């Protein structure tokens, strides 16, 4: 079955550590996205990629980094510069950049301990 | 500013009762509108979308939404809810920023269906 797989589902990080969240899709979609979800705030866009080897900052990119070396993969690194990283992170994809019907993964809940 | 406003953060309702979840969008976003549902600790699933055409849009699980341009609204409705409809619902609209298209989400409405 085609879809978006995020791993791990739960992740714990010590302060000062970098962690990488995985996102893989087998839908052959060109565009991929990372969102952060906090209670009562909806979803906020962190990074966006239209094609391989290209990505743009979203609304809250500070303290995060991404790569897009393969069409199927769009990993997100939460760096130690992100001061409040505890949140639910959602990866999504759409068939084309201008096609905004997005398909979402199941999310990764990151907790700083 | 481009924004989507969901007027109710929580909506409690009894099983088999009708429900309406309200969504308003700013005139600066385009009228490509979406409703997503999120069950606990899961991703978002598309319920329905409005791109053009008929203002009444039907989606999955018996939900429908009506696009009202004059009131800049896109309210979600269901005539009879089930316990399984308990979830968080997000309204979203297409926006444009920094040279690219993006989805702008509302803050979400938590629907709680009680027996």
């Amino acid at each position: 079955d085609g879809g978006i797989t995020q791993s791990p589902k739960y992740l714990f990080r010590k302060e000062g550590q970098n962690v990488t969240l995985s996102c893989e899709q087998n839908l052959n979609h060109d565009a991929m996205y990372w969102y952060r979800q906090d209670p009562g705030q909806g979803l906020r866009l962190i990074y966006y990629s239209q094609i391989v080897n290209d990505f743009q900052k979203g609304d809250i990119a500070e303290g995060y980094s991404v790569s897009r070396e393969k069409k199927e993969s769009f990993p997100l690194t939460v760096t130690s510069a992100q001061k409040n990283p505890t949140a639910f992170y959602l990866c999504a994809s759409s068939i084309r950049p201008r096609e905004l019907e997005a398909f979402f993964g199941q999310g990764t809940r990151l907790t700083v301990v | 500013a481009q924004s989507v406003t969901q007027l109710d953060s929580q909506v409690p309702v009894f099983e088999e009762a009708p429900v309406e979840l309200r969504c308003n969008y700013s005139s600066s976003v385009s009228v490509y509108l979406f409703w997503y549902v999120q069950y606990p600790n899961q991703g978002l699933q598309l319920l329905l979308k409005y791109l053009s055409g008929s203002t009444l849009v039907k989606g999955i699980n018996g939900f429908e939404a009506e696009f009202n341009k004059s009131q800049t609204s896109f309210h979600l409705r269901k005539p009879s809810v089930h316990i399984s409809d308990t979830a968080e619902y997000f309204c979203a609209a297409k926006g444009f920023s920094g040279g690219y298209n993006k989805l702008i989400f509302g803050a979400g409405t938590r629907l709680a269906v009680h027996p």
Side-chain angles (χ1 to χ4, degrees):
Chain A
D1 286 338
I4 301 176
T5 301
Q6 289 187 243
S7 62
K9 190 170 178 62
Y10 299 96
L11 185 58
F12 296 89
R13 187 195 95 170
K14 292 183 179 179
E15 286 194 26
Q17 284 184 338
N18 293 352
V19 289
T20 297
L21 284 58
S22 170
C23 177
E24 303 278 334
Q25 55 101 355
N26 60 4
L27 300 167
N28 200 33
H29 285 178
D30 286 333
M32 297 187 74
Y33 315 80
W34 274 105
Y35 291 91
R36 171 178 170 141
Q37 185 179 16
D38 295 284
Q41 294 192 46
L43 279 71
R44 292 181 290 169
L45 184 65
I46 305 173
Y47 266 98
Y48 165 86
S49 170
Q50 299 185 70
I51 56 173
V52 174
N53 293 322
D54 178 73
F55 49 83
Q56 295 86 31
K57 293 181 179 179
D59 300 318
I60 55 165
E62 185 175 351
Y64 300 97
S65 66
V66 294
S67 63
R68 187 88 186 276
E69 297 176 0
K70 298 186 298 181
K71 187 174 185 177
E72 309 80 45
S73 179
F74 191 42
L76 174 74
T77 296
V78 184
T79 75
S80 57
Q82 171 49 238
K83 298 306 179 188
N84 185 22
T86 295
F88 192 51
Y89 291 88
L90 287 160
C91 180
S93 70
S94 62
I95 190 166
R96 286 175 295 274
R98 65 180 182 276
E99 178 63 59
L100 286 179
E101 180 177 342
F103 295 81
F104 284 81
Q106 296 298 292
T108 293
R109 186 166 298 280
L110 173 63
T111 304
V112 174
V113 297
Chain B
Q2 300 177 61
S3 65
V4 173
T5 302
Q6 292 184 241
L7 297 160
D8 306 292
S9 59
Q10 297 185 64
V11 173
V13 64
F14 286 109
E15 194 173 18
E16 297 184 6
V19 71
E20 178 180 83
L21 306 183
R22 298 181 292 168
C23 173
N24 285 91
Y25 60 92
S26 65
S27 56
S28 55
V29 301
S30 69
V31 288
Y32 293 163
L33 301 162
F34 306 82
W35 274 100
Y36 285 87
V37 60
Q38 183 181 36
Y39 299 101
N41 291 312
Q42 294 190 25
L44 276 66
Q45 179 184 5
L46 182 69
L47 273 179
L48 49 80
K49 62 184 176 183
Y50 173 80
L51 303 180
S52 64
S54 173
T55 56
L56 184 63
V57 181
K58 294 190 182 297
I60 63 171
N61 301 341
F63 283 93
E64 63 182 33
E66 185 159 18
F67 168 64
N68 188 318
K69 187 175 181 179
S70 63
Q71 297 186 10
T72 60
S73 68
F74 190 54
H75 299 334
L76 181 71
R77 302 186 182 101
K78 187 169 183 178
S80 174
V81 295
H82 302 286
I83 295 287
S84 59
D85 292 323
T86 295
E88 188 147 23
Y89 293 78
F90 291 95
C91 183
K94 176 182 172 181
F96 188 81
S97 174
Y100 60 91
N101 295 321
K102 67 173 185 178
L103 277 175
I104 299 169
F105 284 88
T109 297
R110 189 170 299 276
L111 175 65
V113 181
H114 302 282

